Amino acid sequence: PIYKGSILKQPGWFVTGYKETAYILKDSSFFTRIPLPEATEKYSHLKQIQSKMMLYMNKEDHRKLRLLVNKGFTPKQIAGFRPLIEEVVDSLLDELIVKEEFDVVSEFAFPLTSLVIATILGVPEEDRDRFRAWAALLLQSIDFSRSHKTLEASDQLAEELSEYFSSLIAQKRAEPGDDLISMLIKENDCTENELISTFILLVIAGHETTVNLISNTIYTFLKHPEQWKMLNENPTLAGSAIEEVLRFESPTQLTARVAMKDTEVAGKHITCGEQLYLMLGAANRDPDVFDEPDEFLITRKKVPHLSFGLGAHFCLGSTLARLEAQIALSRFSKRVHTYNQTKTEIKWRPLTGFRALEKLRIT
Ligand code: HEM
């Protein structure tokens, strides 16, 4: 469940057991988040932005910001996005199903999630293409396998995005709308830098992981035709199917913590200051918790996966991600009875922390 190793020459403990991963995630006073080390040393824009992201904050600073942003993500507010999501999914499918073949990632999942997060934030229509391009590039800056070249590019990108959000904040101050940016400005409880970092975090989180969940769903059913048949016969299984995809092909595979005190996990001595890499994808296949963990079974009764984390940093967007994925799957299965992979090879992106398809062309 726990062993020593390193990622990009950074030593740490790899935690793969479910019980151990859950224990570390829940205990935020013993195990805390830290900003990514290289980024904090050399890259000033990334450093500035990351240091104000709630994902890298701890204790009171984290709690304050999280409570505030959470006001825009209550279940009631997210449920209010259902008609928009349904409309976008339907109009995308109208265009796609008449095509001979299409790419699920760039033509279905990405435009959907992009439009939803842009609407939540209140990004004007004319900026949406630029916004989408930034989002795609941004993910590389938070992955563990990023190179210095990508980090440099990300630093520049972070500067561009900060400038963009700064001017958008000024625009919304003058003319508030019915969106998250206007709401957070009105609350007047955040510094401008905290606001900018929060918006950038939401752009990254809101786009990429959800794109991966939707694409991984279509991919996984392609590989499990008997489960696809079962879903078609019983559409009410869409919700549990999404939970099973979250477990089986977890979009976020890895997160990290640092030990704040000497302690012990599964009989191993952890020294204060050591890094722990929490392998969410592995924990989600722990046989002590899941029967037949390597089987994809959409009828599982309970799927207590760790794909959205646990504890203080539990994913703020989980309700939104689930809603988008469920609507996407339900509508897709209603309108597409059979689909196949084209001759193009399926390619995964070379990322350490994320399970992300580069392309998934289907016919
Ligand atoms: C945090 C996964 C979608 C916003 C997290 C964490 C995970 C995660 C594992 C915790 C990281 C940690 O504790 O170290 C996912 C997955 C998603 C998804 C798998 C989609 C399938 C979203 C969406 C949004 C979002 C749609 C917002 C629009 C956030 C934020 C945090 C977070 C703001 C930080 C929370 C905090 O630090 O308190 N997410 N996420 N996520 N997620 Fe998500």
Side-chain angles (χ1 to χ4, degrees):
I2 175 163
Y3 63 95
K4 250 192 168 157
S6 68
I7 294 184
L8 294 174
K9 300 197 184 127
Q10 284 184 50
W13 292 96
F14 284 77
V15 185
T16 58
Y18 182 98
K19 199 171 71 187
E20 293 74 13
T21 304
Y23 165 73
I24 293 167
L25 282 170
K26 273 199 254 176
D27 193 337
S28 53
S29 54
F30 247 60
F31 303 100
T32 62
R33 292 233 36 151
I34 47 157
L36 304 171
E38 308 98 295
T40 54
E41 277 156 29
K42 287 191 195 143
Y43 303 96
S44 59
H45 297 294
L46 277 181
K47 173 183 170 177
Q48 153 89 354
I49 285 169
Q50 278 188 342
S51 67
K52 298 278 178 247
M53 276 185 183
M54 72 175 86
L55 191 57
Y56 297 110
M57 287 180 168
N58 293 300
K59 308 213 164 108
E60 205 35 54
D61 290 345
H62 169 259
R63 219 179 66 88
K64 189 194 103 189
L65 190 57
R66 168 138 184 153
L67 276 176
L68 194 66
V69 182
N70 206 26
K71 289 187 183 167
F73 285 84
T74 60
K76 198 168 154 218
Q77 264 157 322
I78 297 306
F81 288 109
R82 178 179 274 280
L84 169 79
I85 301 171
E86 287 175 344
E87 193 191 311
V88 180
V89 169
D90 283 341
S91 76
L92 285 168
L93 286 174
D94 284 344
E95 275 176 38
L96 295 172
I97 53 177
V98 292
K99 286 188 172 185
E100 195 107 306
E101 59 174 77
F102 67 89
D103 176 26
V104 173
V105 183
S106 63
E107 294 182 80
F108 183 52
F110 198 71
L112 164 65
T113 51
S114 181
L115 200 107
V116 172
I117 195 69
T119 310
I120 292 179
L121 287 172
V123 172
E125 298 261 351
E126 62 273 20
D127 295 343
R128 295 211 176 150
D129 286 345
R130 252 194 318 164
F131 177 78
R132 245 205 264 184
W134 277 326
L137 289 167
L138 260 174
L139 180 74
Q140 293 159 5
S141 68
I142 53 162
D143 191 71
F144 281 83
S145 59
R146 68 218 176 283
S147 66
H148 286 282
K149 216 170 133 204
T150 10
L151 270 171
E152 232 165 73
S154 306
D155 198 48
Q156 204 187 328
L157 195 68
E159 187 187 5
E160 277 175 38
L161 258 180
S162 300
E163 279 168 14
Y164 172 71
F165 276 123
S166 184
S167 69
L168 193 56
I169 289 169
Q171 220 174 303
K172 302 271 179 194
R173 266 193 221 285
E175 240 181 279
D178 183 18
D179 53 61
L180 187 74
I181 296 188
S182 303
M183 191 271 275
L184 290 180
I185 294 173
K186 207 166 84 204
E187 290 281 334
N188 207 13
D189 219 1
C190 284
T191 64
E192 173 129 343
N193 285 341
E194 279 173 344
L195 286 177
I196 291 173
S197 295
T198 301
F199 302 148
I200 295 181
L201 174 61
L202 293 175
V203 175
I204 302 170
H207 268 99
E208 288 290 343
T209 43
T210 319
V211 170
N212 299 336
L213 174 58
I214 295 170
S215 310
N216 293 0
T217 301
I218 308 294
Y219 165 81
T220 309
F221 276 110
L222 192 61
K223 299 287 164 195
H224 296 85
E226 74 301 336
Q227 298 293 308
W228 178 247
K229 188 165 170 273
M230 198 185 286
L231 176 71
N232 275 306
E233 284 163 6
N234 187 355
T236 59
L237 288 173
S240 64
I242 292 300
E243 296 309 303
E244 179 65 347
V245 177
L246 279 160
R247 182 193 76 80
F248 190 75
E249 290 290 11
S250 317
T252 306
Q253 288 279 320
L254 155 64
T255 187
R257 294 291 189 268
V258 67
M260 296 310 284
K261 290 181 190 159
D262 282 10
T263 185
E264 212 168 90
V265 175
K268 305 280 187 207
H269 181 78
I270 316 288
T271 309
C272 176
E274 281 188 310
Q275 292 246 30
L276 298 115
Y277 303 115
L278 310 180
M279 312 300 283
L280 304 177
N284 283 341
R285 292 190 185 211
D286 185 333
D288 284 349
V289 179
F290 303 100
D291 292 336
E292 302 183 89
D294 295 330
E295 297 298 319
F296 174 67
L297 303 169
I298 64 171
T299 45
R300 280 183 199 274
K301 287 279 166 298
K302 238 179 89 203
V303 194
H305 60 72
L306 300 177
S307 294
F308 291 121
L310 266 187
H313 290 277
F314 180 78
C315 178
L316 186 110
S318 63
T319 311
L320 175 63
R322 282 178 162 128
L323 185 68
E324 286 185 63
Q326 280 173 24
I327 295 174
L329 176 62
S330 302
R331 302 267 160 156
F332 182 87
S333 68
K334 206 164 149 195
R335 299 185 59 185
V336 180
H337 291 291
T338 50
Y339 63 104
N340 291 300
Q341 185 185 334
T342 64
K343 290 207 179 74
T344 327
E345 199 191 328
I346 289 177
K347 263 175 91 183
W348 294 92
R349 288 162 62 189
L351 304 172
T352 320
F354 301 92
R355 180 78 167 146
L357 283 157
E358 180 110 50
K359 265 195 179 73
L360 176 62
R361 292 201 72 80
I362 58 166
T363 178

